[in-house]
């Protein structure tokens, strides 16, 4: 059996979005919370790409941040190679954190504009004490730049001297500098042109194969997800509603929400086919619907769906959270 690199169990986070204390007391308002992630379970095997899909605000980035340690879960666990990250000491966490890195959507915002590329990529090398000497560090930076298709000389430039695609390559090189096994990629190509997207995705695929990387991949683009992933998790209002192999999910979706997302994808084979746009709006996470959160938009909803919250059930090859599947 292939070991899982990362697994999350009953992952939850509530954000306190209450108005300031004084106005709350004056207006006699209770505290308000956004329950952004509400009991998410999944595990990702070594060398696998697991993608999270769902409409804006469903909690994809929040899951990514919980995994990378940028948020602390309100409940549940994140286990990375056998270590429960929530209960690790600071020093142990630093050591374990070397094994995973994050790539963000906007490479310009995530690269320090005042630093040369050599310093940007060199920082994690210093932080984790990975080089024996200056020469060794420089050789490592050059090797990393080559790995992402840039030249060694590029280390002497600043981020603004590169195109968007090249900047994202620099982000990838920086992420790889600490020799991680697991990369959390939150919309890594969404800010790029289609042709540049393909180049960056190809580099990510090549690196995955060469270095045996494991990816958590988040994207709005279903065609990118279908090409790039091994397994997919569909999220709705902070919960996973369907998880399975990419081909199963795309060819025979079972959850009504997954079906709705799939019917909205344009297809080259069926140019004249009428697409059904995704209908309805995502309800506010401040005041989610009772029972199954999807029931107000669901064409198959029954009375039970308004009161009973479905759990993710294991149906063999995939898991589905729907009372009617
Ligand atoms: N720091 C925060 N404080 C309060 N609420 C937050 C915070 N971060 C996220 N949220 C809320 O949590 C929910 C999930 O947000 P998240 O950014 O994870 O969505 P997403 O699926 O990544 O959306 P998108 O596709 O637009 O990137 C949203 O309702 C958002 O407003
Ligand atoms: Mg997001």
């Amino acid at each position: 059996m292939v070991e899982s690199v990362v697994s999350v169990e009953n992952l939850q986070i509530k954000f306190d979005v209450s108005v300031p204390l004084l106005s709350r007391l004056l207006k006699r308002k209770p505290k308000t919370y956004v329950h952004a992630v509400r009991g998410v379970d999944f595990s990702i095997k070594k060398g696998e790409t697991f993608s999270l899909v769902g409409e804006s605000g469903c909690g994809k980035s929040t899951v990514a941040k919980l995994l990378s340690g940028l948020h602390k879960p309100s409940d549940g666990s994140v286990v990375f190679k056998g270590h429960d990250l929530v209960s690790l000491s600071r020093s142990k966490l630093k050591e374990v954190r070397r094994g995973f890195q994050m790539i963000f959507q906007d490479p310009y915002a995530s690269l320090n504009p005042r630093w040369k590329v050599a310093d940007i990529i060199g920082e994690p090398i210093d932080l984790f004490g990975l080089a024996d000497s200056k020469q060794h560090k420089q050789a490592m930076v050059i090797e990393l730049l080559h790995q992402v298709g840039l030249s060694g000389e590029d280390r002497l430039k600043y981020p603004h001297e590169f195109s968007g695609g090249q900047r994202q390559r620099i982000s990838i090189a920086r992420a790889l500098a600490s020799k991680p096994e697991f990369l959390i990629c939150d919309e890594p190509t969404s800010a790029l042109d289609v042709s540049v997207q393909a180049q960056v995705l190809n580099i990510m695929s090549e690196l995955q194969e060469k270095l045996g990387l494991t990816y958590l991949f988040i994207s709005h683009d279903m065609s990118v997800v279908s090409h790039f992933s091994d397994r997919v998790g569909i999220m709705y209002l902070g919960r996973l509603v369907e998880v399975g192999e990419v081909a199963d999910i795309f060819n025979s979706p079972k959850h009504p929400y997954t079906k709705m997302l799939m019917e909205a994808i344009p297809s080259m084979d069926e140019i004249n086919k009428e697409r059904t746009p995704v209908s309805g709006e995502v309800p506010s996470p401040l005041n989610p619907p009772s029972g199954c959160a999807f029931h107000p938009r669901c064409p198959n909803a029954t009375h039970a769906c308004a009161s009973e919250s479905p759990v993710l059930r294991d149906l063999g090859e995939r898991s589905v959270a729907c009372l009617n599947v």
Side-chain angles (χ1 to χ4, degrees):
M1 209 176 92
V2 189
E3 60 172 317
S4 61
V5 169
V6 66
S7 60
V8 307
E9 218 169 280
N10 187 31
L11 196 61
Q12 313 232 12
I13 190 165
K14 276 184 189 177
F15 294 111
D16 185 348
V17 290
S18 314
V19 291
L21 180 66
L22 189 60
S23 1
R24 218 174 58 234
L25 291 177
L26 290 174
K27 293 179 190 159
R28 291 169 190 268
K29 286 202 165 161
K31 279 200 155 197
T32 336
Y33 295 96
V34 173
H35 206 162
V37 175
R38 310 195 285 163
V40 164
D41 299 88
F42 60 79
S43 63
I44 313 179
K45 292 194 273 292
K46 187 167 169 49
E48 184 180 55
T49 301
F50 180 72
S51 291
L52 284 179
V53 170
E55 285 161 291
S56 188
C58 68
K60 306 180 294 294
S61 297
T62 307
V63 169
K65 287 177 189 158
L66 284 163
L67 256 65
S68 61
L70 291 172
H71 289 318
K72 206 172 170 357
S74 317
D75 203 355
S77 62
V78 178
V79 177
F80 177 71
K81 295 192 73 185
H83 301 282
D84 183 346
L85 300 188
V86 181
S87 58
L88 281 186
S89 67
R90 243 168 200 259
S91 57
K92 186 73 185 162
L93 190 63
K94 183 182 166 194
E95 189 190 314
V96 172
R97 267 201 56 90
R98 202 187 113 187
F100 55 96
Q101 289 296 329
M102 197 155 170
I103 302 172
F104 297 95
Q105 173 172 357
D106 183 352
Y108 204 53
S110 55
L111 300 176
N112 189 332
R114 293 202 190 92
W115 284 12
K116 286 190 178 152
V117 168
D119 301 322
I120 291 173
I121 300 180
E123 189 188 41
I125 298 178
D126 288 339
L127 183 68
F128 294 107
L130 302 177
D132 312 329
S133 61
K134 275 195 167 172
Q135 286 83 348
H136 185 202
K137 181 176 157 191
Q138 180 169 318
M140 285 172 84
V141 169
I142 293 172
E143 161 74 16
L144 284 159
L145 284 167
H146 288 165
Q147 275 189 342
V148 296
L150 293 172
S151 88
E153 292 306 304
D154 286 331
R155 74 184 190 283
L156 304 170
K157 297 187 192 162
Y158 289 93
H160 73 263
E161 296 175 71
F162 294 90
S163 70
Q166 288 171 327
R167 278 201 287 269
Q168 197 55 299
R169 289 170 195 237
I170 296 168
S171 302
I172 297 172
R174 179 186 156 93
L176 294 177
S178 61
K179 302 192 190 311
E181 291 175 52
F182 176 48
L183 289 187
I184 302 165
C185 317
D186 189 359
E187 312 254 11
T189 58
S190 306
L192 307 174
D193 272 3
V194 175
S195 61
V196 181
Q197 265 190 29
Q199 290 168 11
V200 172
L201 290 168
N202 283 341
I203 284 185
M204 288 177 62
S205 291
E206 281 166 29
L207 289 169
Q208 179 170 42
E209 197 144 309
K210 194 165 137 205
L211 307 173
L213 298 170
T214 306
Y215 289 141
L216 172 70
F217 187 76
I218 295 173
S219 174
H220 271 104
D221 188 328
M222 297 296 247
S223 64
V224 166
V225 169
S226 71
H227 284 109
F228 198 71
S229 329
D230 298 303
R231 282 187 314 126
V232 185
I234 313 288
M235 278 189 83
Y236 190 76
L237 222 63
R239 289 185 202 274
L240 277 170
V241 296
E242 184 161 4
V243 182
E245 300 280 329
V246 69
D248 290 340
I249 296 274
F250 277 76
N251 297 332
S252 63
K254 290 217 187 311
H255 194 283
Y257 179 59
T258 319
K259 285 185 186 163
M260 191 189 264
L261 290 180
M262 298 305 156
E263 275 161 17
I265 305 176
S267 155
M268 285 302 275
D269 314 329
E270 301 166 274
I271 290 238
N272 295 323
K273 185 187 153 204
E274 279 241 349
R275 283 192 294 128
T276 319
V278 175
S279 60
E281 280 191 25
V282 187
S284 161
L286 279 173
N287 187 16
S290 60
C292 169
F294 185 60
H295 87 265
R297 294 170 76 184
C298 182
N300 312 338
T302 58
H303 275 305
C305 301
S307 53
E308 214 175 308
S309 180
V311 291
L312 200 62
R313 275 181 306 124
D314 190 352
L315 304 179
E317 290 294 293
R318 78 173 93 187
S319 312
V320 184
C322 176
L323 298 178
N324 301 317
V325 171

